[in-house]
Amino acid sequence: MKMVAPWTRFYSNSCCCCHVRTGTILLGVWYLILNAVVLLILLSALADPDHYHFSSSELGGDFEFMDDANMCIAIAISVLMILICAMATYGAYKQRAAWIIPFFCYQIFDFALNTLVAVTVLVYPNSIQEYIRQLPPDFPYKDDIMSVNPTCLVLIILLFISIILAFKGYLISCVWNCYRYINGRNSSDVLVYVTSNDTTVLLPPYDDATVNSATKEPPPPYVSA
């Protein structure tokens, strides 16, 4: 009986009705576009800070919305994310598994942060009401949200975060399956040497061996000396 590792049951070559390579490429391009848009907005805000300036009365607090230091940090993070997404897209397209690892690590980090948010909401449910009270007075639907029962509000937010976590987990599995698929495909092209006591035999790749065995006649039977 063949033993199969538990995590291999979740391995699949399909992702969102397409192949895992295609899904990873589309996911990398989507994240690339989003971060490029964020980078353009940040650069526009840095070039024209008066256009994106918010007064303390609009924000409902005595703090500045975004100073130059925070703006530069946000721009650096956006550039780094663009580089990571471009590496993942290139790695999936060119079948280079190592290029996908940074994007996979980012997905794990993002999933962990969202999980911490869910745990915080579950452990400290009153923090939601405090956060809503700190929003600006003209924030859309602020009064309607404050009128909702706190228990129902916590359940709604937890349900929303759970859906997001499930979707992010599915995307993580797609990227991981793409990494495994590329690794398996590259390893099948490696030539294998089998060494005995007096001879060394070079085994061809599996695909070539199956094609050659189908076209050639089988060897004659062995005759004992």
Side-chain angles (χ1 to χ4, degrees):
M1 183 176 182
K2 185 178 180 181
M3 300 297 295
V4 180
W7 54 83
T8 57
R9 301 175 183 176
F10 302 99
Y11 175 73
S12 175
N13 287 340
S14 61
C15 172
C16 298
C17 302
C18 61
H19 197 270
V20 288
R21 279 187 62 210
T22 306
T24 304
I25 292 173
L26 293 177
L27 183 63
V29 171
W30 171 249
Y31 273 88
L32 189 63
I33 294 174
L34 287 181
N35 287 278
V37 171
V38 172
L39 180 61
L40 290 177
I41 294 175
L42 292 175
L43 291 176
S44 301
L46 188 63
D48 188 9
D50 296 333
H51 182 70
Y52 294 90
H53 177 72
F54 295 92
S55 63
S56 59
S57 60
E58 293 175 340
L59 294 171
D62 297 330
F63 57 91
E64 192 174 353
F65 176 68
M66 183 75 79
D67 55 6
D68 293 339
N70 294 331
M71 189 74 70
C72 293
I73 293 174
I75 291 174
I77 293 175
S78 298
V79 172
L80 180 62
M81 285 302 307
I82 290 175
L83 179 61
I84 291 175
C85 297
M87 289 175 59
T89 304
Y90 179 80
Y93 180 73
K94 292 293 185 178
Q95 299 187 19
R96 297 183 179 180
W99 292 63
I100 306 177
I101 293 298
F103 185 74
F104 178 75
C105 293
Y106 157 73
Q107 286 185 302
I108 296 296
F109 180 74
D110 182 60
F111 186 85
L113 288 181
N114 285 272
T115 304
L116 289 178
V117 171
V119 172
T120 303
V121 172
L122 186 61
V123 176
Y124 303 103
N126 296 328
S127 60
I128 300 177
Q129 297 290 335
E130 294 295 332
Y131 177 77
I132 295 175
R133 292 191 187 96
Q134 295 176 1
L135 293 175
D138 56 348
F139 188 82
Y141 306 106
K142 178 181 178 181
D143 296 333
D144 297 335
I145 297 174
M146 291 293 297
S147 62
V148 177
N149 188 5
T151 304
C152 295
L153 183 61
V154 170
L155 293 177
I156 292 173
I157 293 177
L158 285 177
L159 178 61
F160 181 72
I161 295 177
S162 300
I163 294 174
I164 293 177
L165 287 177
F167 182 68
K168 287 181 178 292
Y170 180 74
L171 295 180
I172 290 174
S173 66
C174 292
V175 175
W176 175 248
N177 289 335
C178 178
Y179 173 80
R180 292 186 58 187
Y181 169 79
I182 294 175
N183 263 345
R185 186 178 179 87
N186 292 338
S187 62
S188 64
D189 296 336
V190 177
L191 299 179
V192 180
Y193 288 89
V194 178
T195 305
S196 61
N197 294 332
D198 53 353
T199 59
T200 300
V201 181
L202 175 62
L203 299 181
Y206 178 77
D207 296 336
D208 297 341
T210 54
V211 172
N212 293 333
S213 61
T215 55
K216 295 181 180 179
E217 296 181 356
Y222 292 108
V223 179
S224 60

